[in-house]
Amino acid sequence: MASSTTPPVLSFPPQTFQKLSPSSYLLRHLQSTPPIRPSGRSPNVFREPTIHTNSLSHAHGSAVVRTGDTAVVCGVRGEILSLTNGEGKAKGGVVVLRSSEDNDEGFVGEEDGGEGELRARSLIVTNLELGTGCSRDYHPGPPSDFAQTTTSRLHRLLLSTTSLISPESLRISDTHATEIETKAYWVLYIDILCISLDGNILDTAWASVIAALRSTRLPRAYWDADLEAVVCDPDLAKYTGLQLGQLAFTASFAVISGVGDDGKSVILSDPDEFEESVCEESVMVCIKEGGKIARIEKGGGLACGMEGLGECVHRARNRFDVWERLVKSALV
Amino acid sequence: MTDRRRINGPSEGTTPPVFASAVVTKPTPTRAPDSLRKIFLKTSLTPPATGSAFLELPSPAPYPNSSTLKITASVYGPRPLPSSAAFSPHARLTAELKFAPFSTPHKRRGYVRDAVERDLSVQLQNALVKSIKTGAYPKSGIDVFITVLDCEGGLDGDDDEGVEVGLMGVLAGAITCASAAVADAGIECVDLVSGGVAALVKRPQNSDAMDTDGMNAPMLVLDPSPADGYQILSAAVVGYMAGREEVTLLWTKGSVGILDGEEDELDLLMDGAIMTATAVRLVLNEAVKERMLLGLARSKGKLKEDGGGDVAMSS
């Protein structure tokens, strides 16, 4: 039976709309003037971070970083790799590369800023754990694909992009011998536990790694020729910090297209979990001290052009200043 | 065996730093045997979870930077069980306790769950399940995840010097924290569970106790910590529902003498542990009350907002 009255308009509460059609929910928000995100932020606004350092008692350095509802704890722990068992003593010996990433970088030696030495001996061990009940999608047990890729991105940032740690600061030498010989190394275990996950884990985890490394203090280690072992000085006053390179911070973005009638795209700074699930295209910019661009990662779409990338770099530079101030004030 | 899904350290293995001539002085207890430590307990610190809580227990040692117990708990559920699971008229509770790699002294912990963690998980599950109205949630699962971020040590095996209470402290903290998280999740409970530890220790030589016949009898210490420096003869941890006066979990360690009358050590230990748990319950009550008032304030604010919206529309 045809009726002349217009059919009743279907209406949902916002939460139902968000579940039924996430992408149009996000688009409707961004189409309003001024454009606003479901979280109440403007597209170019990052979440305000907080940093606390050295709150863990058994780690050599630690940091708790929170940005919005994403919170991570990072602990750095030094252990000793002894070379006295014959391995690595012979110069020019066969070096077996362990990490699968080494295929493209290779063991070059001293010229590459020490990255080869760090990699070949696995002196830096970075791991991100998401199976802590931080989000309903990740469960305890073996790491998920996402955890593995994020771990390897962090590892790469630490070793290749920023060269933050020099192998010299990790060498333990025999100072009494006539020829200085490296007897052992410090191995830094960097464990990042996500306590609460609401998007953009990379930026927060990376900042926690930086803050934890800057707060790390290792005991003075020396080679004891009588014991033929590395011994540490228990004197707390002789603990020293690591010699770190220039600071670098990352900024992540999500790009959504088709916002305006002309298919204009919008770049969202510091996306949360919901925005990450809707937007396919993502951009990551790593900025070093002095505003230098250390790395750009982009993928998932074509909406963000040169102009968009310029905007990302500009926002990342501003974000770098925020992190830098925060890290420096957290570690006086 | 290397874990290919994680980044591993050198295959030769690494050793924790060895210190030269570290003079190990056993600390002398500084607080009264029946004094309890202040607990920090806060709920809703993991917003993506249905319910969550964070617990911190300071070390009694007088020096700064001393170790503390830090535990986070998050609860998910009740959520539907996977369709492959068999029908269950009750909610299925699973508890998973994990130590962070940097949480323990000396050696770094691995990521793969070990026997200690599995044991504590099962005990925690047993302590909690009796407090939850599982019958109200058929065909659903409730998952409790506990992460120990920092602990006080005392996890090694027991020796002639006495038993270690580190694990018991972790378990008691985990019970309290998990119960707060379950309440935060809004899951129907019959009562809250709090954990308490008590120990019988060798009486210190310089004790000013006057009764000479009591000198050799062990002394009861509430809420013992590995940093206290007592020589612990036996210890017990309970999960206790103070509202119903029911013990959901009891775990004792060390040799406990069972004698008639007032000398019965098991009675002493259990009473002590229950006394601790009852005191901890007060903190738990406050944390849950705080959360409830916050929730009430929020829902009131929401109502007001909605009301305002209606007015705007009608005008």
Side-chain angles (χ1 to χ4, degrees), chain A residues 268-288:
Chain A
L268 306 172
S269 301
D270 192 11
D272 61 23
E273 190 75 29
F274 169 67
E275 289 161 351
E276 274 185 352
S277 68
V278 173
C279 304
E280 285 179 351
E281 188 169 352
S282 65
V283 180
M284 189 277 280
V285 180
C286 177
I287 297 284
K288 250 187 169 171

Side-chain angles (χ1 to χ4, degrees), chain A residues 55-58 66 69 77 79-80 87 121-122 125 127 129 133-135 140 143 189 191 195-197 231-232, chain B residues 6-7 10 12 14-15 18-20 45-48 67 70 74 76 101-104 106 108 111 145 150-151:
Chain A
S55 41
L56 300 176
S57 47
H58 301 301
R66 195 171 187 111
D69 284 347
R77 201 158 183 167
E79 291 202 354
I80 288 166
E87 198 276 336
R121 299 210 187 278
S122 314
V125 188
N127 275 301
E129 176 67 43
C134 64
S135 149
Y189 289 93
D191 294 294
I195 298 300
S196 173
L197 178 62
V231 180
C232 296
Chain B
R6 291 197 169 87
I7 295 174
E12 302 92 322
T14 54
T15 49
V18 179
F19 288 98
L45 287 181
T46 307
S67 54
K70 291 191 187 75
S74 51
Y76 290 90
F102 43 72
S103 63
T104 49
H106 314 306
R108 172 182 179 267
Y111 277 104
F145 301 119
D150 207 358
C151 74

Side-chain angles (χ1 to χ4, degrees), chain A residues 88-225:
Chain A
K89 275 180 108 179
K91 275 184 186 162
V94 178
V95 177
V96 182
L97 298 174
R98 286 181 197 89
S99 170
S100 55
E101 282 172 34
D102 292 328
N103 300 335
D104 52 319
E105 326 267 353
F107 182 63
V108 191
E110 300 285 326
E111 304 93 60
D112 60 346
E115 187 199 333
E117 191 174 353
L118 291 178
R119 272 195 195 280
R121 299 210 187 278
S122 314
L123 297 183
I124 310 286
V125 188
T126 324
N127 275 301
L128 171 73
E129 176 67 43
L130 291 177
T132 53
C134 64
S135 149
R136 65 177 61 239
D137 301 331
Y138 302 105
H139 300 280
S144 60
D145 291 349
F146 177 66
Q148 288 179 56
T149 47
T150 312
T151 298
S152 81
R153 285 172 80 191
L154 288 167
H155 197 64
R156 194 169 54 220
L157 273 173
L158 195 54
L159 291 186
S160 340
T161 312
T162 61
S163 310
L164 199 65
I165 304 163
S166 68
E168 288 91 53
S169 61
L170 300 179
R171 283 187 200 140
I172 302 168
S173 309
D174 184 5
T175 45
H176 296 292
T178 46
E179 186 193 351
I180 290 182
E181 185 188 5
T182 304
K183 289 286 191 183
Y185 283 101
W186 280 107
V187 175
L188 294 179
Y189 289 93
I190 304 170
D191 294 294
I192 309 150
L193 258 71
C194 183
I195 298 300
S196 173
L197 178 62
D198 186 23
N200 198 2
I201 181 73
L202 186 84
D203 288 4
T204 313
W206 174 250
S208 78
V209 170
I210 296 267
L213 282 173
R214 281 177 70 97
S215 75
T216 300
R217 296 186 73 77
L218 293 173
R220 195 180 72 86
Y222 56 92
W223 174 255
D224 191 317

